[in-house]
Amino acid sequence: MLGAVGISVANAEPSPPAFPGVFSATDATADIEAIKQLKTSYFADIDAKNWDALRELLAPDIVVDTTGSGGPILVGRDPFIAFLELTLGAAKTHHQGFDPAIQVTSATTAEGDWRLEDILIWGGTLGVHGYGNYHDRYVNSNGNWVIKYSKLTRTRLDLINPDDGTIIQADVPIEEIVQKVKDIIGPW
């Protein structure tokens, strides 16, 4: 319409947002991409055992619920990282997260669901091929997205040969896997 009255559209002032505090679809798209990168870094840091980098991806007061994976509920990033160091520190791991369904709920909050597939090998004696889902909540803190809450729920665990990945036993109950891990690393 501005062009019709002799004012160049390129020189027109942008319109203010229709509703103060409402963010645009462009903002949400950028936030979703940032959250995807956050979770990608999360998996890479766990696999690389880069605990310092992982720490920066987590809110200080993060709540991590691993009960759906045979573990505890942990409050705080330091207890969570200590748990990872204990349970996965000596293991060779490969995590893949995919099919993210991320919803930005405000300018500073979001939720996401991810499918997970991972390979975990402890000392060449125990191999596990796992499947599951993550449900996460994110918060934008000082311009950076961090994980505020995370729940891992396992849907299937297969015992595998640690050398070649062939399945030894399919769809093993989680309690059996947890006991086998504890037999190797000790109680947690």
Side-chain angles (χ1 to χ4, degrees), residues 36 39-48 88 92-100 113-120 128-134 136 152-155:
K36 287 178 182 178
K39 195 67 172 185
T40 298
S41 296
Y42 171 89
F43 291 129
D45 289 340
I46 289 174
D47 290 341
L88 298 180
K92 292 181 182 178
T93 62
H94 179 74
H95 290 82
Q96 295 181 56
F98 48 96
D99 291 341
D113 292 301
W114 297 78
R115 289 183 27 202
L116 165 76
E117 186 172 346
D118 57 2
I119 302 287
L120 314 167
V128 176
H129 188 168
Y131 305 85
N133 301 292
Y134 273 96
D136 293 340
L152 171 58
T153 304
R154 294 290 185 170
T155 57

Side-chain angles (χ1 to χ4, degrees), residues 17-24 27 107:
F19 303 101
V22 173
F23 50 98
S24 71
D27 293 338

Side-chain angles (χ1 to χ4, degrees), residues 128-131 154-159 169-172 174 177:
V128 176
H129 188 168
Y131 305 85
R154 294 290 185 170
T155 57
R156 180 181 170 135
L157 293 166
D158 296 337
L159 284 176
Q169 184 180 353
D171 205 11
V172 179
I174 197 162
I177 299 289

